[in-house]
Amino acid sequence: MAPSIRLSPAARSLFDEPLAIAVQGLGPRQRVTLRTSLQDETGELFQASARYQAGDDGELDLARCPALPGGSFSGLEPMGLLWALQPQKPFWRLVKRDVQSPFLLQLEVFEGHGERPGQLLAQAQHERAFLRDGVRRVPVREGRIRATLFLPPGDGPFPGIIDLYGTGGGLPEYRACLLANHGFAVLALAFYSYEDLPKGMKEIHLEYFEEAVNYMLQHTQVKGPGVGLLGHSKGGDLCISMASFLKGITATALINGSVANVGAVLHYKDITIPPLGINPKRAKVGKSGIADIIDVLNNPLEGPDQQSFIPLEKAECCFLFIVGQDDHNWKSEFFAVEGSKRLQAHGKEKPEIVCYPGAGHYIEPPFFPMCAASMHLLFGKPVMWGGEPKAHCEAQIDAWQQIQAFFRKHLTGKPSETPSKL
């Protein structure tokens, strides 16, 4: 019997779902190298490989067989060949631009454990999809809003969430559509550098975000009385600003967000919040040319920088802070703790804070490979984001469950049936 790769699900799975990988038809205790490859939409190649030894029966099941030292990872890691994918081009991050097409994953099995691949013994292809069958993708161009709404299959209304990314600009849709697969109506909202929106991020007007909140509250497929907000990085402090000043927000989840306004002047009606001061000289650049910018921002508790602290005590919602304790973009844990102190000092409910040791800045949906360093748009050079790949991967899996449970609890009133893994 020739060796073959057995996958479950066989041909296609959702990107945030586990994929079971096994090889059958090998010789007893045969040594092989498994390699995965994936090309992003710009043509950049990501690869991972691991060394294995088949069992006495010639079977190799990644859920039961540990990877041996010498590959991209070692130990018992059933999903290692996905989370360990690394770009062949330095400082390149895996993102999904068109959620309507899947990523195509290539799997190969080679003879032996050499530095160069031995004879090819088996290969397979698998689609990693972003849209569950029946999820509707609706481009939104209403008033000034530039967004995409994802609606789950079936009869609504569904709990509604507005999803914001950070300083990359544009309109990333992949997190929003993966969340919609789990029963939420999710609006991926652009706020700069997209279509006719401002090209840069010098000034931000909250009235634009208010339009998006009202759009969701009035949508027949969105269950009221309020909506949730989900933001990462700069999107996080925008969500805090929205929750502090706008009506109709019930729950706000932040992934490595800041409690101070960062990077742009924020306006709402007659209120102006200046951006937190920065000192670029505090960046440390190592021999690799990668900058560590964790100390660049000023402290929002000191001097004039206190004016940048967002008055989150005005918010009428619950908060969840997801914190990567090895975030090198900024001090996410410090921000979460100070936000919690501020809320409690004003008699507000203590927010949920979930901390992940070994997780860096880009806590993405499950099984996205960790990006250790990439170009920073505002800095103009590669910066380190922090994180240790295995711990970061585990944090992504757990945070994804935490975020869904938080929104289920506060937007539907139903507790989630998925307990935390940590």
Side-chain angles (χ1 to χ4, degrees):
M1 176 168 140
S4 63
I5 298 170
R6 189 176 71 236
L7 303 172
S8 178
R12 186 182 174 96
S13 56
L14 289 171
F15 195 91
D16 63 344
E17 288 179 342
L19 175 65
I21 302 171
V23 184
Q24 51 199 22
L26 296 170
R29 308 197 68 72
Q30 186 174 354
R31 293 170 155 248
V32 290
T33 300
L34 271 60
R35 185 171 73 188
T36 42
S37 321
L38 177 156
Q39 266 189 323
D40 73 6
E41 288 132 315
T42 66
E44 292 300 334
L45 181 67
F46 289 74
Q47 284 193 326
S49 68
R51 296 175 172 185
Y52 284 98
Q53 185 168 15
D56 292 334
D57 56 358
E59 284 269 332
L60 171 59
D61 182 344
L62 271 57
R64 295 201 300 269
C65 278
L68 304 170
S72 306
F73 58 91
S74 60
L76 190 63
E77 297 294 341
M79 289 293 285
L81 285 168
L82 283 86
W83 63 249
L85 286 165
Q86 283 299 302
Q88 303 303 290
K89 179 180 181 177
F91 312 131
W92 198 255
R93 188 163 75 88
L94 184 65
V95 293
K96 189 72 179 89
R97 286 168 172 83
D98 174 13
V99 298
Q100 297 175 94
S101 68
F103 274 138
L104 198 59
L105 186 70
Q106 308 279 353
L107 294 99
E108 297 164 299
V109 183
F110 297 99
E111 171 69 59
H113 289 170
E115 285 306 308
R116 292 169 172 274
Q119 182 192 346
L120 178 65
L121 303 175
Q123 56 186 337
Q125 286 197 141
H126 185 83
E127 290 183 352
R128 293 289 276 171
F130 284 77
L131 277 178
R132 189 185 289 284
D133 289 345
V135 172
R136 287 160 288 167
R137 179 185 173 275
V138 185
V140 179
R141 303 289 180 274
E142 298 228 357
R144 289 177 297 175
I145 304 169
R146 302 293 173 263
T148 305
L149 177 64
F150 292 93
L151 293 169
D155 297 328
F158 307 99
I161 298 168
I162 296 174
D163 182 33
L164 288 174
Y165 264 89
T167 51
L171 181 54
E173 296 180 353
Y174 58 93
R175 186 172 63 201
C177 81
L178 287 171
L179 257 185
N181 294 333
H182 295 279
F184 299 96
V186 190
L187 186 77
L189 182 64
F191 59 94
Y192 88 104
S193 189
Y194 184 74
E195 292 187 359
D196 56 354
L197 294 175
K199 289 279 168 278
M201 204 180 64
K202 290 189 176 61
E203 301 203 359
I204 286 174
H205 294 268
L206 265 190
E207 285 83 356
Y208 170 77
F209 300 88
E210 192 167 35
E211 266 188 61
V213 172
N214 290 335
Y215 168 83
M216 289 293 276
L217 291 173
Q218 288 155 17
H219 200 289
T220 55
Q221 291 293 296
V222 175
K223 174 184 163 67
V227 295
L229 305 176
L230 174 60
H232 170 257
S233 196
K234 174 62 193 170
D237 70 74
L238 279 171
C239 286
I240 294 185
S241 297
M242 291 166 72
S244 302
F245 295 110
L246 308 181
K247 295 201 173 355
I249 291 154
T250 304
T252 300
L254 314 153
I255 303 167
N256 287 330
S258 161
V259 289
N261 178 46
V262 179
V265 181
L266 185 84
H267 300 280
Y268 182 59
K269 295 181 177 170
D270 55 355
I271 298 162
T272 299
I273 301 184
L276 190 59
I278 61 167
N279 180 352
K281 292 197 174 94
R282 290 196 291 253
K284 302 187 214 34
V285 182
K287 289 181 186 149
S288 58
I290 304 170
D292 185 352
I293 61 171
I294 191 164
D295 293 320
V296 164
L297 286 174
N298 291 350
N299 186 337
L301 306 179
E302 294 171 0
D305 285 297
Q306 293 174 73
Q307 294 166 19
S308 303
F309 204 112
I310 302 158
L312 75 169
E313 69 276 4
K314 294 181 188 292
E316 297 293 329
C317 72
C318 301
F319 286 100
L320 167 66
F321 288 87
I322 298 284
V323 172
Q325 288 178 302
D326 193 36
D327 183 354
H328 278 258
N329 181 66
W330 54 30
K331 296 172 180 171
S332 297
E333 188 173 12
F334 166 78
F335 288 142
V337 169
E338 291 307 321
S340 179
K341 285 182 191 168
R342 179 99 171 227
L343 286 166
Q344 291 177 83
H346 287 81
K348 294 293 174 102
E349 189 182 330
K350 186 179 179 181
E352 290 179 55
I353 302 177
V354 184
C355 291
Y356 296 102
H361 185 62
Y362 271 107
I363 296 179
E364 295 270 38
F367 313 122
F368 270 91
M370 186 190 91
C371 178
S374 68
M375 289 301 289
H376 193 296
L377 276 185
L378 302 187
F379 243 74
K381 61 169 65 127
V383 305
M384 63 188 290
W385 301 116
E388 183 279 307
K390 177 176 157 57
H392 190 90
C393 165
E394 289 170 353
Q396 289 185 160
I397 294 168
D398 190 71
W400 195 233
Q401 300 293 341
Q402 298 276 359
I403 289 163
Q404 291 174 56
F406 172 76
F407 284 130
R408 275 205 190 92
K409 178 179 168 185
H410 295 292
L411 298 178
T412 68
K414 291 182 192 140
S416 176
E417 57 287 350
T418 49
S420 162
K421 307 236 178 1
L422 290 192

